[in-house]
Each structure stands twice: as structure tokens, then as C-alpha cells.
Amino acid sequence: MSAILIVSSPKVNGISLAQDGEKLSDDDLRERAYAELLRQEAARLKLVSPRQTSCWLPLTEEEQAIIENMLEKQVLTPEPELNECSRYYEANKAKYVVGQAINLRHILFAVTEGVPVQALAGHAETALLELMHKNAGAGLFDQKAKELSNCPSGREGGQLGWLEPHECAPELARALFFDGEAQLGQGLHPRLIHSRHGLHIIEVLERRTGTQLSFDEVKDKIEMHLSMQSRATALRQFMMILVGGSEIEGIELESADTPLVQN
């Protein structure tokens, strides 16, 4: 991620987030903005002393502890109910299968800085169509992988061997194990699969279906997952309200000017 040169510092309620000439990424600026909003909220509640400065300073360990305690009290997180956990299980059964794996090969078209994505996608689509053609020879995938793949596996015809869901990039795991009837599919995938690494042509050579775990076996795991999800939503909404009630200059932050209710 490239850094940006700060010429005129963004501000949160008049507090500058960076020094002129300082190089910060957008993510770093947002992190500072949210930390400053939380410090100011703690000061408003008289939990920490106001700072006598117009420039941002990192939170002290004591301030961090006080703010964490403030969030525990201020941000209410509803606990998931049993029927909510059950509905999540029914909608996501494929995630709770043990022993599933696929033997696959792929051709990676890596998306890197400066590469025109549309042109790359067109190049990948052309290769996929060639492989899907009824007259495609048995050795064509191996040939294309060696010629086109940006993955080291290309030297071996794109062979990745047996992989379980946790061994794949999340985007590949969803497409090959969890989406719809994906867990039943075998052969050349009919569409390009997008991942953080780029565009993939994928062929599933063999598949082990694994064993479905029952709801009782995974209930505690689902409850923890939904609790964490609920906590993240509640924190996001809390921060949106703080942003909505503040004067923000030079940086875009998601905001809300009315109380929000979790769905």
C-alpha cells in the first residue's frame, strides 16, 4: 500500500491527524482518526484528561485500557439465540464438513501493479474458452499452464495436489467448496475465479466429500462466530455515531447522525 504525502493535515474536531510533510497511508489516517474520536469521547465522559494540544498523539497504555473498558460498557452486543444459530447452520452447512478436499490444478493470471485488469481478464477468458472447446486436447491444460500461469505450479502443468478449504485463499474456498452446489462439482470450472492473487482457471480432478458435522457438534463454534460478528457490527455502529457528531476535515469516514439498531 503506497503512502500519501500530507500537505494539509486532516482534522478531527480541530485536532490535526498528521504533521505537514508526513507520509501516511489512507488506512493509517483512518486508524488515527478513529483513535482520536475514541479518546475525545473518553474525555467527554471525564474518563481521561483532555489533552492540551492541537496535534494528534498516540494513545498511552493507560488511555487504551480506559477506552477498552469504556467500549465494554457503552457498546452493547446482543447474544445470539439458539434459533439464530440453527438458521446460520442450515444456511452454511458446507462450512461444517470435515475431511473434504479437492485435487486440482490451476492457471493463475496475477493482478499486479500496472497491469490493465480488463485486458488481463480478456486474456484469461480467451484461454478458458480454448480449454472448454469440445476439440481441446487432453494435454492442452498442461501446455497453457506452462505458457501462461504466473504461479510456480505452472512448471508442473498447474498441479496443486490435494487441498482442504483452509489451505485455499478464502475466495477459492467459497467458489470450490461452499457456494451452492460447489462441493459436488468436478472438472473444468466454467468461469474464472477471482482471488486476492488474481484470476484463476481451475480444474477439479478429484474430490473427497468429507463428513457433515451435526448442529450439536458445532453449536458452540457458531455461537462464538455470531457473537464476534455482532460485536463487530455494534462497534462499527458506535464509531459511525461518533463520526456523525463530529467535525471531520480532509478525510472520509463512514458516519451516522442518528442511533443505529443492529439487524
Side-chain angles (χ1 to χ4, degrees):
M1 182 182 299
S2 59
I4 58 175
L5 179 65
I6 305 300
V7 178
S8 179
S9 175
K11 294 181 175 65
V12 170
N13 294 322
I15 300 297
S16 297
L17 297 176
Q19 302 291 335
D20 290 351
E22 189 174 9
K23 289 186 177 181
L24 293 169
S25 69
D26 286 342
D27 287 343
D28 288 338
L29 274 174
R30 289 192 184 93
E31 186 176 339
R32 286 190 180 187
Y34 289 130
E36 181 60 26
L37 282 165
L38 289 171
R39 187 196 63 76
Q40 291 181 16
E41 177 66 7
R44 185 187 71 81
L45 296 173
K46 297 181 169 50
L47 300 175
V48 299
S49 300
R51 288 180 174 176
Q52 304 303 315
T53 178
S54 60
C55 293
W56 177 87
L57 293 172
L59 296 174
T60 66
E61 289 186 9
E62 182 181 7
E63 286 173 332
Q64 288 179 12
I66 290 171
I67 287 171
E68 287 174 8
N69 187 55
M70 176 188 74
L71 290 173
E72 285 298 320
K73 294 178 179 179
Q74 294 274 340
V75 182
L76 302 178
T77 307
E79 292 296 323
E81 298 181 356
L82 183 62
N83 61 350
E84 184 182 357
C85 294
S86 178
R87 287 197 303 272
Y88 183 87
Y89 171 76
E90 291 298 329
N92 296 275
K93 271 188 168 183
K95 293 183 178 180
Y96 302 105
V97 175
V98 294
Q100 62 179 326
I102 52 176
N103 181 13
L104 77 157
R105 56 183 178 176
H106 81 148
I107 301 171
L108 171 64
F109 298 81
V111 176
T112 56
E113 189 173 353
V115 171
V117 177
Q118 286 188 332
L120 183 70
H123 189 41
E125 287 282 4
T126 299
L128 177 60
L129 288 173
E130 289 181 34
L131 291 168
M132 293 177 66
H133 195 277
K134 62 181 181 180
N135 294 327
L140 185 59
F141 196 105
D142 184 90
Q143 176 189 331
K144 290 292 182 183
K146 290 176 179 176
E147 291 176 358
L148 304 174
S149 185
N150 299 127
C151 177
S153 67
R155 294 191 295 270
E156 306 300 325
Q159 296 284 347
L160 292 176
W162 286 96
L163 295 176
E164 297 182 14
H166 69 275
E167 296 175 306
C168 300
E171 302 87 356
L172 294 181
R174 281 195 298 272
L176 299 173
F177 289 97
F178 304 139
D179 285 352
E181 299 299 317
Q183 62 269 33
L184 303 178
Q186 195 165 313
L188 187 66
H189 199 282
R191 293 178 298 280
L192 296 175
I193 299 180
H194 296 238
S195 83
R196 63 200 59 193
H197 304 298
L199 308 173
H200 304 255
I201 295 175
I202 288 188
E203 183 175 13
V204 177
L205 304 172
E206 299 175 84
R207 183 180 290 272
R208 291 199 293 259
T209 56
T211 303
Q212 179 71 59
L213 296 177
S214 69
F215 173 66
D216 286 340
E217 290 176 296
V218 297
K219 177 169 64 68
D220 291 345
K221 182 182 291 188
I222 291 174
E223 185 175 358
M224 181 179 295
H225 171 75
L226 293 180
S227 293
M228 292 174 63
Q229 198 174 64
S230 179
R231 180 66 175 171
T233 299
L235 286 169
R236 173 174 165 269
Q237 292 178 346
F238 181 79
M239 294 306 304
M240 288 172 65
I241 293 170
L242 289 186
V243 172
S246 300
E247 184 178 346
I248 309 295
E249 303 173 54
I251 184 172
E252 291 188 9
L253 301 175
E254 191 176 19
S255 68
D257 51 15
T258 57
L260 298 167
V261 178
Q262 284 203 61
N263 293 321

